[in-house]
Amino acid sequence: MRTLEDQITEEKDTEKQYGKEIEEQEQKIELQNQQIDNFKKEYDEYVPDDDYLMKLTESEKAQEYKTAQEKAPWNGKEINKLRETLFLEAMNLQRAFVENSSQMRDQLDAFSKMMRGNLSSTQLDKYAASLFQGFALAVPVISSTFASIGSFLRYVGREDIGLVLADESGQAMPQAAAGVIWRCRRVIAVGDPLQIEPVVTIHDKTIEFLKNYYKQSAFIASKTTSVQSLADAANNYIGIRELDGTNFYVGSPLLVHGRCQKRIFDIANIIAYNETMIYNNTVDREESVCAWLDVKGQSQNKHFVLEQAKRILPIIKNEFIASWNKNGKSEIPSLFIISPFRNVKAGLASYYRDNDFLYHNICESNDVECKQNIKDWIRDNIGTIHTFQGKEADTVIICLGVDSGEKENGAVEWACGRPNILNVAVTRAKNNLYIVGDADKWASKPYFSTAYELCEKYTNINFFNY
């Protein structure tokens, strides 16, 4: 039998061995931490370690939190350069394969026949997925719409597509995306549920009947539920804001905003994002305008107010003159006119197109090119919020319309029901924002009251020096 002394000696030796192993592991950890520090210095970039994640999610220091939000992990200049080089080399490899493979030439020829409708349904059932996959080697990104998927990918089966990026998913009804989601293995939904909502034409009573018949939740059956909001609900990484007294979930929210000038940003940040957004416009312009023009009048053709169209006219002329002085008359100004209502859009376009008010003073009488450029601008740059979703301009004019009397109050209530309409409209503007409307009608309403409070207020436009 071993003596007690031998056991003690053995345990001390074991303790020394464990101590040595712990010391070696601590040295490895120290070396790895040093490598991480060196990487940060070399690439001027955040690594998603515990320190970064704490700053990103829990830091109580405003500047630390802002800095962490503004920098994405693994996204420095040097590592981006390496990533882009790797991507280009991968594309070159695919190109070499496509150009030098007789099988690929045959497959692309068969794909062309399929798109021209020259393959039988039996052939399509058997080969369509493979032909699309071969085409994807030559054209890595294929663009389509939800409405076209049913015919475009008719013969593509379940999970035959690798990845679908669904852009502007906040506008899409879930059922519109069902077909393409069924056909793919992975989906990334990108959008903002606090901007344009889905357009649902089904009657409320029909929606309620279907909800009860299929025992669906109020969230699933809601007219405002979109592909984006469903994806957000399934996301493990969410932000929460309160809307209409209930929690509203936003998946993997991007909080840094770099488009608009500060006061324009403040409007959107307050009305739609609970002041959680981070302002990061690197070009602040002291001369930028954020103004509310209080213009009253009687409506024509439902919501269009002629007095507002006239009041906007000098702003449009000034934008054209400034743009043409800088870029020549072949260019049109970076200027949108946006309205919540189609009749206001139609009234503005007709007023400016069919009269000489806009051409006068900025076009010579026989300058056909000048007048055509203005007509092109009227056609493309006056619209509703749906026209300009995803776009931006240096200057945006929001023409609210609506009769100054007691009628048309329902239209105002509809536009003020949620922050989405105003949020989309104001965030199209990079530098200058003009809101034109009857302050007595709009300025006390939800969301618009914030805009009125933050804007400079005018009843005339002499201050613009036109």
Side-chain angles (χ1 to χ4, degrees), residues 200-380:
V200 179
T201 56
I202 304 172
H203 196 280
D204 289 351
K205 289 185 178 180
T206 305
I207 293 175
E208 186 66 20
F209 171 81
L210 293 171
K211 169 195 164 188
N212 294 332
Y213 184 83
Y214 289 105
K215 297 180 175 59
Q216 295 292 344
S217 67
F219 172 65
I220 293 295
S222 172
K223 293 171 72 171
T224 61
T225 296
S226 64
V227 173
Q228 186 65 47
S229 53
L230 282 179
D232 289 344
N235 201 322
N236 291 327
Y237 306 98
I238 59 171
I240 302 175
R241 67 100 74 210
E242 188 176 304
L243 186 65
D244 298 332
T246 60
N247 284 338
F248 188 89
Y249 298 98
V250 181
S252 302
L254 302 178
L255 302 181
V256 179
H257 180 97
R259 172 187 290 163
C260 306
Q261 293 296 305
K262 185 64 168 64
R263 281 185 296 170
I264 304 170
F265 163 83
D266 287 339
I267 294 172
N269 195 27
I270 293 170
I271 68 172
Y273 303 108
N274 276 15
E275 299 186 70
T276 56
M277 298 292 283
I278 295 170
Y279 181 67
N280 190 36
N281 192 330
T282 56
V283 185
D284 263 321
R285 298 187 178 181
E286 293 183 2
E287 72 277 11
S288 65
V289 176
C290 183
W292 185 298
L293 274 63
D294 182 12
V295 184
K296 298 171 172 54
Q298 302 304 305
S299 66
Q300 305 174 15
N301 192 27
K302 201 174 182 182
H303 309 330
F304 172 65
V305 177
L306 180 60
E307 288 79 0
Q308 294 178 5
K310 292 178 179 178
R311 195 64 59 86
I312 292 169
L313 191 60
I315 306 174
I316 302 172
K317 287 185 176 182
N318 186 74
E319 292 291 330
F320 266 95
I321 292 169
S323 175
W324 286 351
N325 287 340
K326 183 178 179 180
N327 304 312
K329 290 189 177 182
S330 61
E331 298 291 325
I332 61 174
S334 180
L335 169 66
F336 295 158
I337 301 181
I338 305 175
S339 177
F341 308 109
R342 285 177 293 178
N343 286 335
V344 175
K345 174 257 180 185
L348 290 167
S350 176
Y351 177 74
Y352 297 134
R353 182 184 60 244
D354 300 338
N355 295 284
D356 192 45
F357 307 120
L358 183 53
Y359 312 118
H360 186 61
N361 291 337
I362 63 173
C363 289
E364 300 292 337
S365 59
N366 59 349
D367 193 337
V368 177
E369 181 184 1
C370 168
K371 291 186 177 181
Q372 185 57 51
N373 286 341
I374 293 176
K375 288 180 179 179
D376 291 343
W377 173 84
I378 292 170
R379 182 194 64 216
D380 298 333

Side-chain angles (χ1 to χ4, degrees), residues 52-253:
Y52 170 78
L53 294 174
M54 286 291 290
K55 291 176 181 177
L56 186 67
T57 58
E58 300 180 19
S59 177
E60 295 181 359
K61 297 179 180 179
Q63 188 56 45
E64 267 190 4
Y65 176 74
K66 181 176 184 292
T67 303
Q69 287 287 345
E70 288 173 346
K71 288 198 172 184
W74 314 119
N75 206 35
K77 290 181 180 179
E78 289 299 320
I79 201 167
N80 266 348
K81 184 177 179 180
L82 294 172
R83 184 183 290 119
E84 290 166 3
T85 301
L86 177 62
F87 172 75
L88 291 173
E89 291 302 322
M91 294 300 296
N92 286 333
L93 177 62
Q94 286 192 202
R95 178 180 179 178
F97 175 72
V98 170
E99 289 180 345
N100 293 282
S101 168
S102 59
Q103 289 85 354
M104 274 301 303
R105 286 195 291 273
D106 292 341
Q107 184 147 341
L108 291 173
D109 180 61
F111 178 84
S112 178
K113 291 178 180 177
M114 177 178 70
M115 298 307 292
R116 294 197 304 269
N118 294 336
L119 298 185
S120 68
S121 59
T122 302
Q123 291 173 315
L124 289 169
D125 283 332
K126 189 174 182 179
Y127 300 117
S130 296
L131 292 177
F132 269 104
Q133 290 163 3
F135 180 67
L137 277 174
V139 183
V141 179
I142 302 171
S143 178
S144 184
T145 63
F146 289 137
S148 301
I149 290 297
S151 57
F152 180 50
L153 301 179
R154 179 179 177 183
Y155 293 96
V156 175
R158 181 177 181 179
E159 296 188 359
D160 282 336
I161 300 171
L163 172 65
V164 166
L165 297 172
D167 194 18
E168 299 292 357
S169 291
Q171 300 183 51
M173 295 181 293
Q175 59 268 37
V180 73
I181 291 174
W182 178 78
R183 289 176 170 89
C184 70
R185 292 189 290 275
R186 293 177 295 155
V187 181
I188 298 176
V190 181
D192 186 347
L194 292 168
Q195 296 204 1
I196 291 180
E197 297 174 311
V199 176
V200 179
T201 56
I202 304 172
H203 196 280
D204 289 351
K205 289 185 178 180
T206 305
I207 293 175
E208 186 66 20
F209 171 81
L210 293 171
K211 169 195 164 188
N212 294 332
Y213 184 83
Y214 289 105
K215 297 180 175 59
Q216 295 292 344
S217 67
F219 172 65
I220 293 295
S222 172
K223 293 171 72 171
T224 61
T225 296
S226 64
V227 173
Q228 186 65 47
S229 53
L230 282 179
D232 289 344
N235 201 322
N236 291 327
Y237 306 98
I238 59 171
I240 302 175
R241 67 100 74 210
E242 188 176 304
L243 186 65
D244 298 332
T246 60
N247 284 338
F248 188 89
Y249 298 98
V250 181
S252 302

Side-chain angles (χ1 to χ4, degrees), residues 6-30:
D6 291 336
Q7 291 178 2
I8 293 172
T9 301
E10 186 176 332
E11 288 179 2
K12 285 183 177 179
D13 290 341
T14 301
E15 184 180 352
K16 286 180 181 178
Q17 181 62 31
Y18 284 148
K20 184 178 180 182
E21 290 178 3
I22 291 171
E23 185 178 348
E24 288 175 354
Q25 292 300 321
E26 287 176 343
Q27 289 174 352
K28 287 182 180 179
I29 291 171
E30 185 177 351

Side-chain angles (χ1 to χ4, degrees), residues 423-444:
N423 184 32
V424 174
V426 300
T427 53
R428 300 312 94 202
K430 293 168 62 178
N431 296 316
N432 304 307
L433 174 68
Y434 304 93
I435 301 178
V436 182
D438 183 350
D440 292 337
K441 198 88 170 181
W442 293 90
S444 61

